[in-house]
Amino acid sequence: SADAKFGKSEILKLQKLKEYFKNRWLSQIQPAELSFYNLDISTNNAAESYHSKLKSLVRTCHPRIWTFMATLNQIIQDTDNDIGRLQQALEISMPRKKKDVQNFERRSIIKQKL
């Protein structure tokens, strides 16, 4: 039985978790809110991209608060600039990795030879 595997405090915690799940996720949240089925965005790529950019700009695990805030402000400014360019139907510039630039150059050379 569950009583033999868990102590009283663990059983109480599991009961609270069960009640929370039942009251919140089974009664308040609709099935459509739990699924990405048939949605245009079904990944967390945007969040991963943001975290990757933040990590590349901060370059340390524990930055000083002012360095961190300045970095966040730079990301906000860059994003605001990108939104403005998109609203004007202009392309946004994406930083390219050295490897990607080299591959692009190789493909351009091959296209010219064909």
Side-chain angles (χ1 to χ4, degrees):
S1 82
D3 295 341
K5 295 180 184 176
F6 300 105
K8 286 184 180 183
S9 95
E10 287 86 7
I11 291 172
L12 283 173
K13 289 177 184 177
L14 286 171
Q15 287 173 342
K16 285 182 180 180
L17 177 63
K18 179 182 169 185
E19 283 300 311
Y20 163 77
F21 190 81
K22 185 173 88 175
N23 293 334
R24 171 70 176 150
W25 293 101
L26 297 179
S27 65
Q28 295 179 17
I29 305 298
Q30 300 300 314
E33 296 174 88
L34 293 174
S35 175
F36 287 106
Y37 178 74
N38 214 16
L39 293 178
D40 292 336
I41 300 173
S42 62
T43 67
N44 63 346
N45 289 349
E48 287 185 15
S49 174
Y50 168 78
H51 288 123
S52 175
K53 183 172 186 174
L54 181 61
K55 184 179 176 183
S56 72
L57 293 174
V58 171
R59 297 183 184 177
T60 181
C61 293
H62 302 286
R64 295 180 181 196
I65 187 67
W66 299 115
T67 303
F68 183 70
M69 296 302 292
T71 303
L72 288 178
N73 283 333
Q74 183 61 52
I75 291 173
I76 291 168
Q77 184 63 48
D78 290 347
T79 302
D80 191 49
N81 290 341
D82 287 346
I83 290 170
R85 291 184 62 78
L86 288 171
Q87 288 173 336
Q88 296 174 26
L90 300 171
E91 289 186 18
I92 58 174
S93 61
M94 301 284 290
R96 295 184 181 200
K97 295 179 181 175
K98 184 177 180 180
K99 179 181 163 186
D100 293 336
V101 171
Q102 290 170 341
N103 286 339
F104 179 77
E105 290 170 353
R106 286 186 194 121
R107 284 192 298 264
S108 296
I109 292 169
I110 291 170
K111 284 181 184 178
Q112 289 173 358
K113 288 182 180 180
L114 296 176

